[in-house]
Amino acid sequence: MTHINADGVLFSKLNEYIRSADKDCVIDNCLGQRFIASGMRDKNITIGGVPGNALGAYLGGGTITVNGNAQDAVGDTMNNGEIIVHGNIGDAAGYAMRGGAIYIKGSAGYRAGIHMKEYKEKKPVIVIGERAGSFLGEYQAGGLIIVLGLQKDGKPTVGNFPCTGMHGGKMIIRGDTASILFPAQVTAKKADESDMAEIRPYIERFCRLFGFDTQEMLSAPFTVITPDSKNPYKQMYVAN
């Protein structure tokens, strides 16, 4: 196992150290370095401190674990692997994500899951433990977003304008969704047995990672949101 002290190290040099490190790598004293493990495929990295923007961008495999918070664009355009964050993350997590999974114990900022997409067996997944900011799943074209609503601050589980422009994939929200205003182009319904079977492996993984009880987590109601049409903007371009 390789240990790297990131104190005062530029992001470009830090990535050089990571590329030459053992498969298992620990980074200490991380402070805002961007693009950590960008394009990585075969490392298991544990980070102490706060990584900067675009952590795990274009990730092709392996695992990144952050023992704290992370900044914006976590998992930007990632293809495979896992990113595990034991705190909160900033905006635009999973931007254009095409595969792999992101697990966040805490909350996510604005525009998580924007432009997520899937192709055949490649299905990206984001699991957010607490709440997500506005524009969750904006233009979502595929993949799965799960928000568990574990926050205890009284704030809503999802911010304003969720599913804006959504035309593929699925969003699943745990708990009461009566106060959430969804756009007309999507359908919200109670999760059925097939929906719960689909999300159960990800809920189990989340609970193992962060020390929650799976049965208790699954005992709450879940709401599934899917697009009504593959072309939610059709009415803007077609004369009636």
Side-chain angles (χ1 to χ4, degrees):
M1 179 182 293
T2 301
H3 289 261
I4 300 171
N5 183 359
D7 186 21
V9 179
L10 292 175
F11 73 89
S12 55
K13 179 60 68 174
L14 180 56
N15 272 324
E16 286 182 18
Y17 293 156
I18 292 170
R19 284 192 289 271
S20 62
D22 296 331
K23 181 176 182 179
D24 295 314
C25 175
V26 175
I27 301 172
D28 293 317
N29 301 314
C30 187
L31 188 60
Q33 287 95 339
R34 300 170 292 163
F35 309 116
I36 292 176
S38 177
M40 182 188 76
R41 293 180 180 273
D42 58 354
K43 307 282 186 182
N44 297 315
I45 298 174
T46 301
I47 299 173
V50 181
N53 291 356
L55 170 70
Y58 306 100
L59 189 69
T63 302
I64 301 172
T65 301
V66 182
N67 290 322
N69 300 324
Q71 295 182 1
D72 297 344
V74 171
D76 183 346
T77 324
M78 70 181 284
N79 289 298
N80 208 344
E82 278 189 343
I83 300 177
I84 300 160
V85 180
H86 285 261
N88 302 317
I89 60 173
D91 298 339
Y95 178 89
M97 187 178 175
R98 297 177 289 194
I102 301 174
Y103 292 92
I104 306 116
K105 183 179 182 180
S107 295
Y110 295 158
R111 290 188 160 91
I114 180 174
H115 287 299
M116 278 177 67
K117 60 201 72 176
E118 64 182 88
Y119 180 70
K120 294 184 178 180
E121 76 282 356
K122 299 284 286 184
K123 182 175 182 178
V125 178
I126 299 176
V127 184
I128 301 167
E130 294 184 358
R131 65 182 304 272
S134 298
F135 297 100
L136 175 68
E138 186 178 29
Y139 308 121
Q140 184 180 352
L144 181 62
I145 300 173
I146 304 170
V147 189
L148 298 175
L150 299 174
Q151 72 279 2
K152 298 179 180 179
D153 57 8
K155 292 182 179 180
T157 298
V158 174
N160 298 322
F161 313 113
C163 308
T164 300
M166 181 184 190
H167 54 282
K170 185 180 292 187
M171 185 183 297
I172 299 183
I173 301 173
R174 178 179 178 270
D176 184 15
T177 59
S179 63
I180 301 174
L181 183 61
F182 295 107
Q185 292 86 8
V186 304
T187 297
K189 69 176 183 69
K190 181 180 178 180
D192 59 25
E193 289 185 6
S194 64
D195 296 317
M196 297 307 295
E198 179 182 9
I199 69 170
R200 186 180 182 96
Y202 306 110
I203 300 295
E204 290 176 342
R205 177 65 172 153
F206 178 92
C207 290
R208 287 195 302 271
L209 287 169
F210 303 122
F212 291 94
D213 181 83
T214 300
Q215 293 307 315
E216 182 179 352
M217 193 74 73
L218 292 171
S219 66
F222 285 79
T223 299
V224 180
I225 303 95
T226 52
D228 272 342
S229 168
K230 293 183 179 179
N231 186 359
Y233 295 123
K234 181 178 180 181
Q235 68 274 16
M236 294 183 180
Y237 306 109
V238 180
N240 292 322

